[in-house]
Amino acid sequence: MKKHDQDFMKRQNRLTVFEMIKNHHPISRASIAKRTGMSPTTVSRIVGELTEQGYLLNSEQVSAGLGRKSTLLGMVNASVLAVGVELDRTRMSIGVVDLQGNMVCSGKYPRVPEESAEQTLMHIGAAMEELVQQHTIDRTRIVGIGVGLPGIVDNEKGVVLFSVQLGWRNVALAEQLKELTGFEIAVDNELKVKALAEQLKGAAVGSSCTALLGFGNGVGSALILDGEIYRGVMNSAGEIGHTTVDPNGTMCECGKTGCLQTYINISSLLAEANRIRPVGTIEELFEARQAGERWAVQLIERALIYMAITINNVVCMYNPDSVILSGELIDKFPDICDEVEQLYFSRFVWEPLRASFAFRRSMLSEEGVMIGSGLLSQNRFFALA
Ligand SMILES: [Zn+2]
């Protein structure tokens, strides 16, 4: 084996052991060896290294039955911290996340939609420093910054290829933010990191195939397979918002007609509503529906039907064990989940698959992207360390 390959194997093994303890602690060395298929010697060596570096807690425990003592391993949650950032058109959210994805502290900051990428990154750097100082976070424990945003992201190079919401094209985010802050930067699509967070800490804990759907200013999805983000060749797997539903439909912001998201997302719903009467916000539209205005009832019913259709298509395509609904529409109007399930599942979700998946609302809601971005940054750190 070449030196380079050996190093790679070592890093992979280290990460595997680390993840195993993180996800299944308290756990014994023997159990790690059994579950990972690694030799007990390799496991012991890695555990020794991680303990020395302050990541692990060792505790003696007498196992039931045999009365034999075994050492169980746990995590020191605060031994590793990462900063998780969510970027949106008009807002930035920044949080400090520990090893288990717990939010240590967080803050929300406005973003001017017209500002340049450079200005946004400067603001992130300044806000992060302020947050860290305000909460007296030990800066030496921060292993990196993760950024989640809407758009197509080259996650390996850390480049935002295209984001309609941010108005960015080919922004070398990782490189620029690293220069500003000195930290290692991980960048990814927001729904991908959110799905990662839900699978580790939220509504899909224990799931081995999670599909997360986002209904908000856009429509998208993400798939987590055995704890890993499914990416496709250019990290754009899951962009279902631009699947074509009606070739004769209305124009989408992407330049095509009849994309799925034109029936569901907030701006499309508002654009349709304004053909009837002036409606400024999505809340107003839902109030009109509540008041029984027929056009509003129909417009939202159509959106819910397309949500059910989306769920059916995703379930048919991937056969997930969990489907999680998230996004601004779901956060603001949580009853949507029950309505879609009760009113439209029997009509639109294929019968043999109807009971094959758990259907839930996002548990982490507004914190999901920050937590997922922080965890992504930590994963990157452990893979490289
Ligand atoms: Zn489109």
Side-chain angles (χ1 to χ4, degrees):
M1 207 187 279
K2 283 183 197 155
K3 176 86 174 62
H4 174 81
D5 296 336
Q6 280 179 358
D7 288 347
F8 179 75
M9 283 282 290
K10 272 189 180 168
R11 284 204 303 271
Q12 282 298 316
N13 287 343
R14 189 181 146 92
L15 187 63
T16 306
V17 170
F18 193 87
E19 290 279 314
M20 183 62 67
I21 302 170
K22 194 165 96 178
N23 298 331
H24 302 281
H25 70 111
I27 187 171
S28 68
R29 287 173 177 76
S31 175
I32 297 171
K34 202 172 156 192
R35 282 170 179 245
T36 60
M38 284 180 204
S39 77
T41 326
T42 307
V43 172
S44 280
R45 178 181 55 77
I46 297 171
V47 165
E49 284 172 15
L50 292 172
T51 307
E52 212 165 277
Q53 287 156 354
Y55 298 128
L56 302 185
L57 285 172
N58 290 251
S59 63
E60 289 264 300
Q61 241 180 40
V62 181
S63 52
L66 295 170
R68 227 174 34 197
K69 273 188 181 171
S70 67
T71 305
L72 293 180
L73 302 162
M75 285 282 160
V76 179
N77 287 348
S79 62
V80 175
L81 299 174
V83 176
V85 180
E86 175 176 14
L87 267 186
D88 217 322
R89 213 174 108 77
T90 58
R91 205 177 63 180
M92 322 186 300
S93 308
I94 303 180
V96 177
V97 174
D98 77 9
L99 256 185
Q100 297 296 337
N102 301 310
M103 191 67 83
V104 180
C105 59
S106 66
K108 282 180 186 160
Y109 311 86
R111 175 181 179 269
V112 181
E114 295 75 28
E115 73 184 15
S116 68
E118 287 72 25
Q119 285 170 316
T120 300
L121 297 186
M122 298 256 290
H123 290 156
I124 293 176
M128 187 199 94
E129 285 301 335
E130 198 187 290
L131 192 71
V132 164
Q133 280 179 18
Q134 202 181 351
H135 295 267
T136 54
I137 301 291
D138 181 354
R139 215 172 179 281
T140 61
R141 293 181 189 255
I142 298 176
V143 298
I145 303 174
V147 184
L149 51 88
I152 297 181
V153 175
D154 179 336
N155 64 302
E156 280 175 15
K157 295 200 178 94
V159 175
V160 180
L161 298 176
F162 184 61
S163 172
V164 177
Q165 281 94 328
L166 298 176
W168 291 1
R169 223 176 239 280
N170 294 316
V171 173
L173 195 152
E175 192 187 312
Q176 292 178 27
L177 194 57
K178 186 180 176 178
E179 220 163 84
L180 276 169
T181 62
F183 286 113
E184 290 297 327
I185 313 293
V187 191
D188 217 322
N189 168 274
E190 55 168 3
L191 285 185
K192 291 191 167 67
V193 293
K194 193 186 243 189
L196 194 66
E198 292 287 349
Q199 199 266 323
L200 186 74
K201 271 203 78 70
V205 171
S207 154
S208 58
C209 182
T210 313
L212 176 122
L213 305 179
F215 298 126
N217 285 312
V219 170
S221 73
L223 192 72
I224 304 291
L225 270 181
D226 295 322
E228 302 243 352
I229 298 170
Y230 178 73
R231 298 182 179 284
V233 285
M234 55 177 287
N235 198 30
S236 70
E239 290 285 348
I240 47 168
H242 301 286
T243 50
T244 306
V245 173
D246 177 5
N248 303 313
T250 50
M251 203 70 152
C252 177
E253 64 193 13
C254 73
K256 297 192 293 113
T257 47
C259 290
L260 173 67
Q261 72 170 28
T262 62
Y263 296 91
I264 302 175
N265 74 352
I266 293 173
S267 55
S268 303
L269 291 176
L270 289 180
E272 283 284 298
N274 275 280
R275 289 163 62 149
I276 307 297
R277 69 166 172 81
V279 176
T281 64
I282 192 70
E283 283 84 357
E284 275 178 54
L285 174 59
F286 272 74
E287 277 161 24
R289 177 208 200 195
Q290 196 67 36
E293 291 186 46
R294 198 167 160 70
W295 60 273
V297 171
Q298 281 177 349
L299 184 57
I300 291 172
E301 182 185 34
R302 190 180 74 172
L304 298 190
I305 286 174
Y306 273 103
M307 287 183 191
I309 289 171
T310 309
I311 293 162
N312 176 56
N313 290 351
V314 163
V315 164
C316 286
M317 219 174 318
Y318 299 121
N319 191 199
D321 61 33
S322 308
V323 174
I324 312 295
L325 291 201
S326 73
E328 195 177 332
L329 275 174
I330 307 298
D331 291 341
K332 282 187 170 161
F333 312 101
D335 292 346
I336 283 179
C337 285
D338 289 341
E339 274 189 70
V340 169
E341 186 175 14
Q342 282 157 21
L343 299 179
Y344 305 112
F345 266 30
S346 59
R347 209 163 120 210
F348 293 102
V349 180
W350 192 32
E351 199 270 328
L353 296 178
R354 223 173 284 153
S356 67
F357 60 96
F359 181 63
R360 299 203 182 98
R361 184 155 58 87
S362 151
M363 261 171 66
L364 305 171
S365 321
E366 287 198 332
E367 290 191 337
V369 177
M370 279 188 281
I371 294 174
S373 304
L375 293 171
L376 182 79
S377 158
Q378 292 177 16
N379 287 350
R380 184 74 70 88
F381 168 73
F382 285 112
L384 296 172

